[in-house]
Amino acid sequence: MHDAARQWDEPIAIVSMACRLPGDVADPEQLWALLAEGRDAVGPFPEDRWDVDSIYDPDPRVAGKTCSREGGFLAGIDAFDPHFFGITAREAAAMDPQQRVLLETAWEALERAGTVPARLTGSSTGVYLGMLGSDYLSGISLDQFNGYVGTGSALSVASGRVSFVLGLAGPSMTLDTACSSSLLALHLAVTALRTGECDQALVGGVTVMTMPYAFVEFSRMRALSPTGRCRSFADKADGSAFSEGVVVVMVKRLSDAQRDGDDVLAVLRGTAVNHDGRSRALLAPNGVSQEKVIRRALELSGLKPADIDYVEAHATGTMVGDPAEARALARVFGDDRPVDRPLYVGAIKSNIGHTQAASGLAALVKVLLSLKYERLPRTLHAEQPTRRVKWENSGLHLLQEPLPWRRGERPRRAGVSAFGIGGTNVHVIVEEAPPTERAKTEDAAGATRLFVVSARDEAGLRRQAARLAAHVARNGTTPLADVAYTLAHCRSHFERRAVVLACDRDTLLGGLNALAQGRTDAALVPSRKPLKGKVAFGSEEIGAKWRSLGVTPDVVAGRDDVNVRGLLDDGFRYFVGIDTAPANQLGVEIAAVDSADPLRGLAHLISAGLSPDWSKAVPDGARTDLPTYAFERGRYWMSPTPMVPAAGAS
């Protein structure tokens, strides 16, 4: 437990992020490509989702219709890999797609942090999720309730399922404050870390729309953009535009992240939450409350307004909300800005639409990527800023063009805002990570290394190999030692394992491609049926070498094959330097290797299910970014929504 005074002052580190967002964005790198290129991810309603002709009418007065036929959508929301998570097909079909994408994205966030999920079992790791109500099973008949419908659609189970599947024993909760849900989840996770309620936390936000309710309701309210675009702070703003998405980040106390050798993406200096109180209408924004929540976050951060470079705004593209937000920002920042350093303002909603419960974390990820790539992307659809705001002398500058945001003498900092339709406002202050010195790995010429590829089954093993091969080919400067280290130390080792023995990139790619294509290769030790049992050495002669590779015998049996029958009866299945002919006669499945080539012999033992001491088997290198698990997604769907199988779901 940290000293109490230090806890409240200590920044919170963000150590990983994972996402799926509109525009076929499957990870943060693809999101950055979309932002850097200034692309618009909004498009027509998916043909496999709704009968668009029956629900669209350009006149917002027409009941039961939406005046927009475009939004931001995730592909393949009917696809899921339940068996990976130990979920039956029947239960998977009853699960809200929001729970499905949360499970997969939470796993990816852990892998991207270099954390083996199994090592967190029983830990005080928290799960804090922002999520709106589920519309997935609305309208099903009573005879379709099968014992899984309740858990499949319950908000409480969304966070509880993540904790259950991963075996996490820290606080677990699902929050719904509408559009501020995921940023509120982050605020509560930060508070829990500082009070010691958890040692680390997964924080997520998700929205998937299986029914067009939001589009129809906001058409009635005259608050939906007919074009399906959030024209943030633009003079032509004509309403909000709805999208889907899921984002998960992993957070720790900064000192813990530094102790664990994590890659710190940024730190959270302060977070604050309040409510609009009694404003002029239930759904009307309250600029005074927005101003107060920003000032409170600055106060808790120990920072002045002039210390902030950029604000990623809520900015949904409404004619009332955006000007109110801009005026609140001007009141906080306008009087304290150097003339040559205005507060830059932008919004990811202009690229991907309003992802609702996921929007706060989507905005945060944009800031994290901007810090990493040292560039602030432009805000789309804002060629003419709204005339409802006096921009001149406001201290604000709307980012209509990309802007460099380079490291310098002072830390770069940004604010992120999220305001819920129910009146709950959240603001967080993000600061670039403190500089760290990392020794660069140098590949030793001619050194043969073990590259372990693992999956739940053979098909998954081939997919994983293909994904890894493509990554290694694209990233030609990544040290092979780091690739081997990450596969050994920072990835789960499942039932099926194959090993590539390589001393150079071409050999590694040859082995990986052979594995992906089901071919043999001299560098590849293919997977086999996994064994469970003890290890026997024939003698201590080359024994030191095997121990140095992380293999410790349960017995040194001698080379006499009269001992093998007894060893088999005692549960021995891995044999080094022993004549195992009796095992063949008895038809017992074993893994037997000789002592001539210990490294290749170790690869054979690993492919048969043995887990050596990885600190010895793969002793050098450092964690590097590698592809996350290649899920095998099939179609699981029971909603009355007229979904048809998504083409090419994978």
Side-chain angles (χ1 to χ4, degrees):
M1 185 73 67
H2 284 214
D3 175 79
R6 183 169 153 236
Q7 280 180 351
W8 285 104
D9 289 337
E10 183 173 18
I12 300 302
I14 304 171
V15 298
S16 79
M17 53 181 169
C19 63
R20 284 177 62 189
L21 291 166
D24 292 325
V25 167
D27 56 44
E29 291 72 29
Q30 292 179 4
L31 176 60
W32 178 251
L34 182 145
L35 294 171
E37 295 165 14
R39 284 190 275 123
D40 183 340
V42 174
F45 290 175
E47 294 181 359
D48 64 355
R49 191 78 63 94
W50 307 312
D51 180 0
V52 179
D53 292 336
S54 69
I55 63 172
Y56 170 73
D57 194 293
D59 186 350
R61 296 170 297 181
V62 177
K65 306 287 185 176
T66 167
C67 65
S68 175
R69 56 194 305 161
E70 295 201 342
F73 296 92
L74 301 182
I77 64 167
D78 56 342
F80 181 50
D81 187 352
H83 307 299
F84 180 86
F85 297 103
I87 296 170
T88 66
R90 191 179 186 199
E91 184 174 9
M95 285 174 61
D96 181 351
Q98 297 179 120
Q99 291 191 23
R100 304 176 189 181
V101 296
L102 274 169
L103 274 179
E104 293 182 350
T105 310
W107 185 275
E108 290 171 351
L110 290 174
E111 288 198 328
R112 290 176 69 91
T115 299
V116 177
R119 295 176 191 161
L120 297 181
T121 300
S123 69
S124 60
T125 301
V127 176
Y128 295 81
L129 301 180
M131 177 176 162
L132 308 184
S134 171
D135 58 21
Y136 171 53
L137 297 179
S138 58
I140 65 169
S141 61
L142 294 178
D143 60 5
Q144 287 182 278
F145 281 73
N146 60 5
Y148 295 117
V149 170
T151 55
S153 58
L155 268 70
S156 61
V157 174
S159 53
R161 195 186 295 273
V162 173
S163 296
F164 169 78
V165 167
L166 298 175
L168 311 179
S172 184
M173 61 188 73
T174 311
L175 307 157
D176 178 4
T177 55
C179 312
S180 58
S181 297
S182 63
L183 217 58
L184 177 62
L186 182 66
H187 168 77
L188 294 181
V190 166
T191 302
L193 286 166
R194 286 178 167 154
T195 59
E197 289 182 338
C198 59
D199 294 328
Q200 55 201 349
L202 289 168
V203 183
V206 63
T207 293
V208 174
M209 299 175 288
T210 58
M211 299 292 283
Y213 297 150
F215 293 95
V216 174
E217 179 70 357
F218 274 73
S219 291
R220 297 292 76 67
M221 294 165 58
R222 309 296 196 272
L224 185 71
S225 167
T227 64
R229 268 68 180 175
C230 287
R231 302 180 186 278
S232 304
F233 298 118
D235 200 49
K236 293 184 178 180
D238 55 3
S240 191
F242 294 116
S243 295
E244 301 174 327
V246 56
V247 181
V248 178
V249 299
M250 189 173 182
V251 291
K252 291 182 175 181
R253 290 180 287 268
L254 178 59
S255 60
D256 291 345
Q258 292 170 330
R259 176 202 65 201
D260 296 340
D262 295 319
D263 286 337
V264 178
L265 307 178
V267 296
L268 300 170
R269 287 290 299 271
T271 68
V273 59
N274 72 4
H275 191 271
D276 282 345
R278 186 183 290 278
S279 53
R280 63 184 179 87
L282 173 63
L283 304 184
N286 187 330
V288 174
S289 292
Q290 293 178 15
E291 177 185 350
K292 287 181 177 179
V293 79
I294 296 170
R295 291 192 186 278
R296 178 60 175 162
L298 286 167
E299 177 187 351
L300 292 172
S301 302
L303 298 171
K304 303 185 296 295
D307 294 322
I308 308 301
D309 304 315
Y310 172 74
V311 165
E312 175 65 21
H314 186 62
T316 60
T318 62
M319 291 180 286
V320 175
D322 287 12
E325 182 176 6
R327 289 191 286 268
L329 290 171
R331 288 193 298 271
V332 175
F333 295 98
D335 295 335
D336 199 22
R337 305 297 302 186
V339 177
D340 61 342
R341 277 193 60 241
L343 178 77
Y344 296 106
V345 179
I348 192 174
K349 291 182 182 67
S350 71
N351 297 91
I352 64 172
H354 187 356
T355 52
Q356 304 170 76
S359 62
L361 286 186
L364 174 68
V365 167
K366 176 185 173 183
V367 170
L368 298 178
L369 291 168
S370 297
L371 287 168
K372 176 179 178 179
Y373 293 103
E374 302 187 11
R375 192 168 185 81
L376 291 167
R378 71 184 180 99
T379 298
L380 306 187
H381 316 304
E383 292 78 10
Q384 175 62 52
T386 177
R387 285 172 286 186
R388 294 170 181 255
V389 174
K390 296 179 180 179
W391 296 96
E392 189 176 357
N393 300 322
S394 68
L396 310 181
H397 181 87
L398 180 61
L399 278 174
Q400 297 165 288
E401 296 296 334
L403 188 76
W405 196 25
R406 298 192 175 93
R407 301 176 190 273
E409 295 181 358
R410 54 182 293 278
R412 296 167 296 160
R413 301 184 182 96
V416 180
S417 291
F419 311 132
I421 196 171
T424 299
N425 308 307
V426 186
H427 190 80
V428 305
I429 305 293
V430 186
E431 181 177 284
E432 71 174 287
T436 56
E437 293 280 339
R438 284 190 181 273
K440 186 177 180 180
T441 305
E442 298 290 344
D443 281 329
T448 300
R449 301 181 186 279
L450 297 168
F451 297 86
V452 184
V453 185
S454 175
R456 293 286 195 199
D457 53 31
E458 286 294 330
L461 201 60
R462 291 192 292 272
R463 291 194 306 274
Q464 201 68 20
R467 192 179 266 197
L468 182 58
H471 177 89
V472 171
R474 281 195 310 269
N475 297 273
T477 61
T478 302
L480 295 186
D482 291 352
V483 176
Y485 179 92
T486 302
L487 292 171
H489 294 265
C490 308
R491 287 291 187 267
S492 301
H493 298 139
F494 297 109
E495 294 87 351
R496 290 290 174 174
R497 307 173 186 179
V499 182
V500 177
L501 292 155
C503 61
D504 57 61
R505 198 170 301 271
D506 288 342
T507 304
L508 173 59
L509 287 172
L512 290 174
N513 286 320
L515 176 57
Q517 298 161 18
R519 296 185 287 104
T520 60
D521 187 88
L524 174 64
V525 176
S527 72
R528 53 169 292 183
K529 180 180 178 181
L531 304 175
K532 290 184 179 180
K534 294 183 281 188
V535 180
F537 280 8
S539 71
E540 283 292 357
E541 180 184 346
I542 315 182
K545 180 64 175 177
W546 282 94
R547 291 176 189 272
S548 73
L549 291 174
V551 181
T552 302
D554 295 289
V555 69
V556 178
R559 297 180 180 277
D560 188 352
D561 65 5
V562 179
N563 295 329
V564 172
R565 292 176 183 270
L567 292 172
L568 292 172
D569 291 340
D570 287 340
F572 283 81
R573 292 297 182 267
Y574 301 99
F575 295 87
V576 178
I578 296 177
D579 181 358
T580 56
N584 299 328
Q585 297 166 6
L586 295 171
V588 178
E589 192 95 19
I590 64 167
V593 297
D594 60 39
S595 302
D597 186 350
L599 197 62
R600 182 166 289 274
L602 176 59
H604 279 279
L605 295 180
I606 291 170
S607 72
L610 180 72
S611 292
D613 180 344
W614 295 107
S615 66
K616 295 180 179 178
V618 185
D620 57 347
R623 190 181 72 80
T624 189
D625 290 334
L626 292 181
T628 54
Y629 191 83
F631 295 111
E632 183 177 12
R633 297 183 174 115
R635 186 173 190 268
Y636 299 88
W637 202 256
M638 68 174 284
S639 171
T641 310
M643 282 281 293
V644 298
S650 61

